[in-house]
Amino acid sequence: MPRVRAPFVVVFCLVAALLPGLTISAAAAPKKRATATEKEARGFLETVTALFQPASTVAADAAWVAAIDVSPDHSGARAGAEKVRAALIGSKWVIERARALLTKEPQLDDITARQLRRVLLDAAESPATIPEVVSRRVEAETKQSAILDGFTFCLQAGKNGACTRPAIANDIDV
């Protein structure tokens, strides 16, 4: 395990000591009244977040398992989880609703508008308007990741350059 250096600990302690003060001053800032559009946008973002977070967590977990234990089963699970995530994030409803809310951007808080633009940016990666393309992209990325993660590394080469101790990522202790 790497040794933690003293300057890092000092910086960490200073940041930890200052954070409570930062949150208090941010909370003390005056808040303007939320418009009906702002409330509607926040409700939409809460709904979207409630859908996206579990799907993204499952996709990330499947990607991790597929990366550390390269097998067709794990690659298939990764592809399936990514397709579900893509279907949620790029759904027509999400795109249309975010666009509609952004047409009323002057009535929105800056942070809410940024979040809506981020939702559209994420949806652009996996638009449900072209599901066959998204599916092929997910399959291709899964296959590429399996090839990369299953690459055979040479931990020890002999005198003639031949690998005397090959290993794949699963075998390498970090």
Side-chain angles (χ1 to χ4, degrees), residues 58-69:
V58 169
D61 289 346
W64 175 255
V65 170
I68 62 170
D69 188 10

Side-chain angles (χ1 to χ4, degrees), residues 15-164:
V15 170
L18 293 175
L19 277 179
L22 291 175
T23 55
I24 290 171
S25 63
K31 294 183 179 183
K32 56 182 187 174
R33 241 179 119 175
T35 65
T37 305
E38 177 69 26
K39 290 177 184 176
E40 184 181 355
R42 287 182 187 170
F44 168 73
L45 290 169
E46 286 173 10
T47 301
V48 165
T49 301
L51 293 170
F52 289 1
Q53 280 184 337
S56 294
T57 301
V58 169
D61 289 346
W64 175 255
V65 170
I68 62 170
D69 188 10
V70 180
S71 72
D73 290 342
H74 293 144
S75 292
R78 178 183 188 168
E82 283 294 332
K83 286 179 184 178
V84 169
R85 181 184 166 279
L88 284 172
I89 289 176
S91 74
K92 290 178 185 178
W93 174 77
V94 169
I95 294 169
E96 290 169 359
R97 197 75 199 109
R99 281 183 180 164
L101 288 166
L102 281 172
T103 61
K104 304 171 187 175
E105 190 170 342
Q107 299 171 23
L108 297 173
D109 182 63
D110 183 50
I111 292 173
T112 304
R114 287 181 189 193
Q115 289 173 332
L116 288 170
R117 284 193 292 273
R118 179 57 197 237
V119 165
L120 279 178
L121 182 66
D122 289 342
E125 184 179 317
S126 308
T129 54
I130 50 172
E132 63 284 342
V133 173
V134 173
S135 180
R136 286 196 315 259
R137 179 190 57 85
V138 169
E139 291 290 336
E141 287 177 357
T142 300
K143 182 179 177 183
Q144 291 167 352
S145 293
I147 291 169
L148 177 66
D149 297 334
F151 181 77
T152 301
F153 296 89
C154 185
L155 298 180
Q156 196 168 32
K159 292 181 182 179
N160 61 357
C163 190
T164 58

